[in-house]
Every structure is written in structure tokens, then in C-alpha cells.
Amino acid sequence: MADQAAMNEQELHAEIARLNKVVQALIVRAESSANIGTSDFNLFQSAITLEDMVRRRTDELEAALRENEKITRALSESENHNRLLVENSPMCIHEIDISGRIVSMNRAGLSMLGLKEQCEVQDYLYLDSVNAADRERIDTLLVQAYAGESSHFEFKASGPLGQIYKSCFVPIKNKNGGVEKLMGITEDITERKRLEQQLVEREELFRAIFEQAPSAIELIDPETLRFVEVNPAACRTLGYTHEEYLRLRLVDTQADLNEEELVAAVRQVGKSGGMSFENRHCCKNGDILDVEISTRMLDISGKHLLVGLWRDITEHKRAQEEIKLKNTILQTQQEVSPDAILVVDENAQIVSYNQQFIDLWRLSPQLVSEQLDAPVLQTVVDQVAEPDVFLARVQYLYEHRDDKSREEIQLKDGRIIDRYSAAATGADGQYYGRVWYFRNITERKRAEEDLRIIAGVFDNSQEGIVITDANNVFLNVNPAFTQITGYAREEVIGKNPKMLSSGRQDKTFYAAMWETLKQKRAWRGEIWNRRKSGEIFAELLSIAAICDDEGRVRRYVGVFSDISYLKTHEAELSQVAYYDALTGIPNRRLLADCMVQAIARAQRSCRMLFVCYLDLDGFKQVNDRYGHEAGDQLLVEVTRRLQEVLRAGDTVARLGGDEFVVLFNDLAGERECRQILDRILEIIALPIVIGSHQVAVSASIGVSFHTSANEDGDTLLRQADQAMYVVKQTGKSRYHLYDAKHD
């Protein structure tokens, strides 16, 4: 625009100069020919006329020139102003060439890209500023913009900050209508997006509060009195579905107020800003509820809504009526009451009292009969440990007639008195005086202290404690129960302890336990139960029956401790005591027990028992050559092979070193025994790979067998040992049956 204005100014100056030359030429010619013919005079006149026209034209051109200068200055000022607006705009304003590169960018844009100078943005691809996830979408919009379509869009910026931008592409066309570049405007909307998300989360929070509130909430159009929205508590309380409720008007739920009264009440709420009052509502099924309501007028998006929050106080109202009734018949009750009762009128004069009052405060009947409250009060105050506090409280209650009071009072003689006081009012609400109840709770406080101690033991005991009713249903468990079993208190209350059963004890066990409980009212023993995790554990359990005065069982109390670690320790001791540490098979001690059982079984079944004493041939050489570790591996492998050969009822034991004993039970005779022995010799003689070495050993086996009831295990073992030495002396790698005549 500035260039165009400059061009117009030059043309105006040229036109003025040209006209001046024409006028000057005409004047010169006219002056030189002033006295000649008329035609020249006419020419002069024409020149004069032309000069006048030229002057007017010149004036017009000069005026146009001045106006043009004014426009030029305005355009220059406007251009500077626009440049300042662009440079100082809080939004990024930039130009993108046809190849997608940024040509220019204002300071806000440079700041968004983390750049300082305009030169730094040259040849910067616009798509490089876009997060990879949005890049394909923005590239498509670029293509559309180059085709002449403007677009508005949002995208996430590249880089670790995760900024969110809102941008647009505006095509800039040349004089031929083709797009030569794009003008882009970009705004950082990260904070706005964050606020929008917070708004969504807050709306979700308010919705959750609205939906889950225990009190009923209603939103009402104050103009039509129609329900706009209600929460589930309102629907649940009145018995309507949400859809049914929203088809109602406020007057439809009222038991006492008509539409005119409701309109007036709504106006009052609008003036005062809010009201709280009691009302009565109609349920869908016709029931009438007493409710307590708080109402407010809300302005939401320019629209007024009446919000009502109410709760059902029907039961509370009924309780109030019951209290009034009880106060009315106080005089009748006081004589049969275990409490000490004193009734005074509105002037604090004694109206009535019972004998318990005289006895509790150790008053003389004459003093009380005078019906003067002051001397009686003074006698009572003299017995109280904190008389000033007591007297101040009494005076306060006389001054605040509607207040009730319940307190514990410590007397100087150590007794503790529970005092309760309430106003005596009639059905009409009139105040008639005050009723004082006194009860000696000294023993109860002592009992409560004992109960607190017991409760402390219950809660802090390291043993699990279970309390069930007479039908063996859980009533209570302590924290140790939860720690041991894994079951929370809520998971077991109301259920039978059978839920802990592991199945390891049969019905006979439990029948015997209950029979003992029935006879002795107590039982103690070990029991296997199952934790919540499924793990079976052992516990030492004591059960006691709690009976009433007539001997009937009211409760069962079980106390147990987890003795799993003891059982584990016993098993470990048993393993060490009865099993070989290297091979895991029975040792000499357990072998003795197995021999006794095997002999007894042989005597019952009348079948043969064979005792085989086995010693490895060549074991010492392996041990000496390859070391004790190799020797141990050899013994383990021999054990495994022996276990493969043995039958289910047979036993293999290690006596020590390379000596083993095998018991064959329930054999028909020697032939069957020899078959097994041949197999043992064969399998032991097979090569054994130990590390990178292959070794071979054989076995020498001495065999004895049970023949009479008089033979014990030691005898059979000694005979088998003797037979084994016969094998060692006569060639090894075979077996020999003990011969009583020759061995």
C-alpha cells in the first residue's frame, strides 16, 4: 500500500509539471502575436482559458496530492500499528510457505518453539512442532489448506511438556487465485484444557455426591413447580422411579400444603435466600412421612432453580411423642422405679420424690417433707466431691428449662451417681417443672472397669479367641483370630466354625469332642484347621461352655494358639532321629520299629519275612579315588535303584557307610526272594556315572528269614550280617541265605 501511494504521488507531480509547460508555451506564443490577426487573439483567449483550466486542474491535483499524502501517512501508521499488534499478540501468528516451512513468526510463536530470534525459525517445518500422534492428521489439513480450504484444529505439541495448541490455516492467494502461502494463528490452550478437565472431574464429583447422598435432594423449577432433577434417595424414600418423579409437580408430594401455599413459600425462599422447616410428604403408596427440609434458591447458568434437601424424621417425631408420654406418667412410675426420683415444679419447689431418693442421699424424711428445694439441695451438695461444679450445673438447668442433662457425679464417700434430668412438659408443650433421676452406679462402674480389662485381654491376646452361641455360631472373634486364620471378623460372624475344618479329623473325633464338652463343659486338645489361604495348620484348642444359673449352655468360648511351628519342629526332629541324612531312607533306629511291625505282620499273615544285609563291593575304592562327595552320590544312586526294585510293603534302610538292610514282607518262599535278590544284584552292578567318571560296584548280600515266633529283629539282623560275611569271604557280588547249621 505504501508503494502504491508513492507511485500515485509521482504521477501527480509529473502531470502538474506537464500542464505548466503547456500553459507557459501558450502564453509565450500569445504574447508574441498579440497585434496580429483575430485568429491569434482567439488563440490567446484559448490559452488564457486553458491556463485557467490548468490552474483548476492543478489545484485539484495538488488537493489530491495532499489527500494522497494523508492516506499514505495513515496507511503507514496502520501498517506499523498492525505490525505492533502482530508482534505483541499473545497468540502465535506465522506464515507457512507452499513446502510446509515457516517463513515468519511473531514473538509469541518463537516463545512457543523455545526460540529467540526470527532467523532461527527459517526453514523450520511446521509439522516438526506437532506431536507424532497428531502429525498425520495435521498434514492432511495442510494439504487441504493448500487446496484453498481454511481449517481450525487442536493438536498436541512435540516435546516433553505436552502443550496443547488450538490453531487454524488461512490460505493466502495471489492475483491469479492460486495459494502462495498460508497464514496460521495458534493459541496455547494447555491451561484451558486442564481447567476443562478439572471442571469435568468436579462435575463428576458433584454428581457422585448428588447420587450417593443419604438425604433426598430435589431441583425444582420455581415457575412451574415441576421437578427438574431428583437424586436416588428421594426416589427411594417416596417410592417413585426417577422417570415417575420427574413427571410430578411439587404439589403432588405434599400432604398439607396446596399450590397457593407452595407458591407463597417459594416466593419467601426467593426473598430470604433460604428456609428450613418441617413438613409432611406423601409416598407413592399413600404413606405420610414427617420430613425436615432445607431450601435454597440457586442461579445456574442464568436460570433460577429451587433446591430442596430433606430427610425422613418420622421415627424421630414418634420418639418425641413417646418422651412426652413418659414424662406425663412420671408420677406413676417413680414409686416402682429403681432410680431415685425428684420432681420439682416451675418454681423449683419439690412436688414429689420416692423412697429411693431419700435412701440414696441419706436424707431425713422431715427435711424432704417440707418440700423446700434449697435445704435439700444443700444437703446433697455437701456430699458431692466437687460441690461448686455440681451447684453451677443445677442452676444452669433451672435457667434453661428445655435442656436435658446426664452426668456422673463423684461423692465424697466414694460412690458414683448417675444423674439424669429432663423438663416435665405436658402434651400441650407447657413447662410444668423438672424431673431428676439418680442412680447409684458404683458397682456398675467397677464392673465396667473389669469389662474393660477383659476387653483389653480379648483384643490384645496373642491367642485366638472365639465366642459362639449355644448353636455353635460365631458371635465374636478377636484380632489374633484374624491374624492366625486370615479371616476378617465380618467374614465369620453368623457362620459355623465348620468353615475352618481341614478334613484331617473325621466325624468320630468331633463326636468325642462334643461328648466331652457335654459331660465336662470343657475340652482341650490339638486340632487341624484350614486358613483362608487354604493352608492347613495345627492349633492347640481349649473350649469352655458358659452356662446360665440353670445349667443351660449360653455360649462357648474357644481359645487357641497356632502350633504349626511346633509340629514342623517335631517333624524335623523325627526326620533327624529316624531317617538317614544322606539318602532320606530309614536309619537304624527306625529300622528297629519296622522290624517289629514286619515280624508282627508275618505272624498274622503266615507268610515269610526275609531280612537282607547288603554291603557294597568296591565302594572304598570309589571313595578313595574320587572323594567323599563322589561316594555320597554313589550311595544316593544305589538307594534310588533299591527303591525301584522294592515293592510297596518292603523297606530299605541304611545302617551306615555302604551297609543297607532290606526287608521283604509277605513272600511265599525262597524262590520269590531269590528272584528279587537277582534283580538287586543286576541293577546295582550297572555302571554309574558320577560327574565325568563312570564307576561300577557290586553287592554282597546276606539273607535271613523269620521262621518262628521266638525270633526277634536283632536276631534276624545278626543272622543276615553273618550270611553277608560268608559272601565277602567266598567271592562277593552274590547273596547267601543264612544256614543255622553251617554259618
Side-chain angles (χ1 to χ4, degrees):
M1 293 292 289
D3 294 341
Q4 185 67 35
M7 186 179 297
N8 291 338
E9 185 177 352
Q10 292 174 0
E11 291 176 354
L12 287 172
H13 282 296
E15 179 67 14
I16 291 171
R18 188 181 65 79
L19 291 175
N20 285 334
K21 288 180 180 179
V22 171
V23 171
Q24 189 64 38
L26 290 173
I27 292 173
V28 171
R29 183 179 177 183
E31 288 176 348
S32 62
S33 306
N35 297 318
I36 61 177
T38 304
S39 60
D40 287 334
F41 180 77
N42 290 337
L43 180 62
F44 179 75
Q45 283 186 322
S46 297
I48 296 301
T49 301
L50 180 59
E51 182 183 13
D52 184 59
M53 292 175 61
V54 167
R55 284 196 184 97
R56 287 198 303 271
R57 178 59 177 165
T58 300
D59 291 341
E60 291 174 356
L61 291 174
E62 288 177 347
L65 181 60
R66 288 192 297 273
E67 182 66 23
N68 187 64
E69 289 174 350
K70 187 189 295 184
I71 292 172
T72 300
R73 286 194 301 272
L75 287 174
S76 177
E77 291 173 359
S78 176
E79 182 177 359
N80 291 333
H81 178 70
N82 290 337
R83 184 178 295 108
L84 287 173
L85 287 178
V86 170
E87 284 301 314
N88 294 290
S89 173
M91 293 188 292
C92 169
I93 301 176
H94 51 279
E95 293 179 311
I96 306 170
D97 65 16
I98 203 69
S99 65
R101 298 183 181 276
I102 298 175
V103 178
S104 66
M105 179 175 284
N106 66 350
R107 284 196 293 267
L110 295 174
S111 177
M112 286 183 183
L113 294 179
L115 305 177
K116 293 183 179 180
E117 301 296 335
Q118 182 73 232
C119 60
E120 295 181 67
V121 82
Q122 300 298 323
D123 294 332
Y124 192 100
L125 284 174
Y126 181 83
L127 288 178
D128 288 344
S129 65
V130 180
N131 183 276
D134 293 331
R135 197 165 293 163
E136 183 177 352
R137 175 173 59 87
I138 304 306
D139 187 32
T140 301
L141 294 176
L142 273 173
V143 173
Q144 294 174 355
Y146 291 135
E149 297 182 19
S150 298
S151 60
H152 295 263
F153 53 89
E154 295 179 5
F155 67 91
K156 193 172 183 181
S158 60
L161 299 180
Q163 298 294 99
I164 301 175
Y165 296 144
K166 182 177 181 180
S167 188
C168 69
F169 292 143
V170 179
I172 305 300
K173 299 180 180 180
N174 55 28
K175 62 182 180 180
N176 297 323
V179 175
E180 61 181 14
K181 61 181 176 180
L182 301 178
M183 177 69 72
I185 301 176
T186 301
E187 177 186 5
D188 187 344
I189 61 170
T190 307
E191 181 64 17
R192 188 175 77 194
K193 284 291 186 180
R194 186 184 67 81
L195 294 176
E196 288 175 355
Q197 180 61 30
Q198 288 182 350
L199 180 61
V200 170
E201 292 174 355
R202 185 168 297 178
E203 288 177 351
E204 292 176 352
L205 174 62
F206 289 156
R207 170 56 62 179
I209 294 173
F210 182 80
E211 294 291 339
Q212 300 174 22
S215 297
I217 304 175
E218 300 171 336
L219 295 180
I220 305 160
D221 185 339
E223 300 296 329
T224 64
L225 298 185
R226 287 196 170 276
F227 292 108
V228 176
E229 185 59 276
V230 294
N231 72 339
C235 298
R236 184 171 57 251
T237 306
L238 296 188
Y240 291 102
T241 66
H242 185 261
E243 292 74 15
E244 291 172 336
Y245 215 126
L246 296 186
R247 289 197 292 268
L248 301 176
R249 300 176 68 243
L250 183 58
V251 69
D252 296 326
T253 63
Q254 302 303 303
D256 302 321
L257 300 178
N258 57 33
E259 185 154 352
E260 183 178 351
E261 293 170 327
L262 286 174
V263 171
V266 170
R267 288 174 182 167
Q268 182 62 31
V269 172
K271 292 178 181 179
S272 63
M275 293 174 59
S276 296
F277 56 92
E278 292 185 3
N279 194 11
R280 296 203 308 158
H281 281 179
C282 293
C283 296
K284 181 180 178 181
N285 62 4
D287 291 345
I288 304 297
L289 300 180
D290 290 303
V291 298
E292 184 179 64
I293 302 176
S294 294
T295 61
R296 294 289 183 275
M297 195 67 72
L298 298 181
D299 188 356
I300 303 176
S301 301
K303 183 177 181 181
H304 291 292
L305 287 178
L306 178 68
V307 57
L309 188 147
W310 54 268
R311 63 186 182 94
D312 182 3
I313 61 170
T314 305
E315 292 301 322
H316 178 68
K317 297 284 286 185
R318 290 175 184 171
Q320 288 181 330
E321 292 299 325
E322 290 178 2
I323 292 174
K324 292 177 182 178
L325 177 61
K326 289 177 181 178
N327 288 334
T328 304
I329 62 174
L330 174 63
Q331 188 65 41
T332 306
Q333 293 180 329
Q334 66 179 4
E335 290 304 326
V336 297
S337 172
D339 297 327
I341 300 175
L342 175 69
V343 182
V344 297
D345 63 15
E346 65 273 20
N347 298 316
Q349 298 300 309
I350 296 175
V351 175
S352 63
Y353 55 89
N354 63 359
Q355 185 62 42
Q356 289 86 337
F357 176 75
I358 295 175
D359 296 340
L360 177 68
W361 293 107
R362 299 168 183 174
L363 302 169
S364 67
Q366 182 180 357
L367 180 65
V368 183
S369 64
E370 294 176 358
Q371 296 186 336
L372 298 176
D373 181 62
V376 173
L377 178 60
Q378 186 59 51
T379 303
V380 171
V381 169
D382 290 342
Q383 300 179 54
V384 175
E386 296 181 348
D388 293 339
V389 175
F390 178 86
L391 187 59
R393 185 60 179 163
V394 171
Q395 291 173 345
Y396 173 87
L397 291 173
Y398 278 146
E399 294 170 0
H400 299 79
R401 293 181 169 184
D402 294 334
D403 282 10
K404 300 185 178 100
S405 172
R406 184 158 204 160
E407 298 163 306
E408 292 181 2
I409 303 169
Q410 181 74 46
L411 302 189
K412 293 177 180 178
D413 61 7
R415 289 180 296 162
I416 301 174
I417 306 301
D418 181 24
R419 182 188 70 186
Y420 173 74
S421 179
T425 55
D428 56 356
Q430 183 178 351
Y431 177 78
Y432 291 104
R434 180 166 288 276
V435 183
W436 302 85
Y437 296 87
F438 303 91
R439 178 176 293 184
N440 187 344
I441 59 170
T442 308
E443 293 302 321
R444 192 188 79 189
K445 297 296 288 185
R446 290 173 183 168
E448 288 176 354
E449 181 63 25
D450 292 342
L451 287 175
R452 279 193 290 271
I453 294 173
I454 294 172
V457 173
F458 182 83
D459 290 336
N460 297 292
S461 173
Q462 298 301 307
E463 285 76 30
I465 302 176
V466 174
I467 301 175
T468 70
D469 62 13
N471 297 317
N472 201 31
V473 173
F474 280 120
L475 296 179
N476 202 0
V477 297
N478 72 337
F481 171 90
T482 297
Q483 184 177 1
I484 293 172
T485 67
Y487 285 100
R489 181 179 182 276
E490 295 75 15
E491 294 179 288
V492 299
I493 298 303
K495 297 181 181 179
N496 192 289
K498 289 180 180 178
M499 64 183 294
L500 302 175
S501 177
S502 66
R504 293 187 63 165
Q505 280 100 1
D506 56 17
K507 293 181 179 179
T508 304
F509 171 84
Y510 288 105
M513 180 184 75
W514 282 107
E515 183 61 28
T516 302
L517 274 172
K518 181 178 179 182
Q519 298 296 328
K520 299 182 179 181
R521 299 293 194 238
W523 180 89
R524 180 179 176 84
E526 293 183 5
I527 191 170
W528 291 89
N529 274 336
R530 188 184 302 274
R531 306 186 207 273
K532 183 179 179 180
S533 63
E535 176 190 358
I536 294 176
F537 70 102
E539 64 181 51
L540 181 62
L541 173 64
S542 296
I543 305 175
I546 308 300
C547 302
D548 58 18
D549 295 339
E550 298 179 359
R552 289 174 297 193
V553 175
R554 294 300 186 188
R555 299 284 187 271
Y556 289 105
V557 177
V559 180
F560 67 93
S561 56
D562 186 351
I563 59 171
S564 300
Y565 70 97
L566 293 177
K567 290 295 184 181
T568 301
H569 187 57
E570 287 178 2
E572 291 173 351
L573 292 177
S574 175
Q575 182 72 20
V576 171
Y578 294 103
Y579 291 89
D580 178 57
L582 175 63
T583 62
I585 60 177
N587 60 13
R588 185 184 296 272
R589 179 180 295 180
L590 183 55
L591 176 63
D593 294 338
C594 293
M595 290 278 283
V596 173
Q597 297 175 17
I599 292 172
R601 186 163 57 247
Q603 291 172 349
R604 289 194 304 270
S605 64
C606 298
R607 293 175 66 85
M608 297 188 70
L609 166 66
F610 287 84
V611 179
C612 304
Y613 202 109
L614 186 150
D615 184 86
L616 297 181
D617 306 322
F619 172 75
K620 186 176 184 303
Q621 291 80 354
V622 173
N623 217 25
D624 293 342
R625 183 174 182 181
Y626 300 112
H628 293 294
E629 184 177 351
D632 289 345
Q633 294 181 33
L634 174 62
L635 293 174
V636 171
E637 176 60 20
V638 168
T639 301
R640 187 190 66 78
R641 293 182 179 185
L642 288 173
Q643 289 173 327
E644 285 184 357
V645 175
L646 299 186
R647 301 164 305 157
D650 298 335
T651 302
V652 59
R654 181 184 175 212
L655 300 185
D658 59 343
E659 295 180 339
F660 295 84
V661 172
V662 181
L663 305 182
F664 295 123
N665 295 295
D666 298 331
L667 294 184
E670 290 185 15
R671 180 178 179 182
E672 187 177 1
C673 179
R674 291 178 183 276
Q675 292 175 347
I676 299 175
L677 292 172
D678 289 338
R679 177 59 179 154
I680 289 176
L681 292 174
E682 178 183 351
I683 196 170
I684 289 179
L686 293 174
I688 299 174
V689 176
I690 298 176
S692 60
H693 306 288
Q694 180 173 290
V695 300
V697 294
S698 60
S700 296
I701 305 174
V703 183
S704 65
F705 54 89
H706 179 264
T707 58
S708 68
N710 295 328
E711 291 179 337
D712 56 18
D714 289 340
T715 301
L716 293 173
L717 194 59
R718 186 172 60 255
Q719 292 172 353
D721 187 21
Q722 292 176 2
M724 185 270 294
Y725 274 104
V726 173
V727 176
K728 285 286 189 181
Q729 295 170 359
T730 58
K732 303 180 181 180
S733 188
R734 62 188 184 87
Y735 58 85
H736 173 70
L737 269 67
Y738 175 76
D739 186 346
K741 295 181 179 180
H742 301 93
D743 294 338

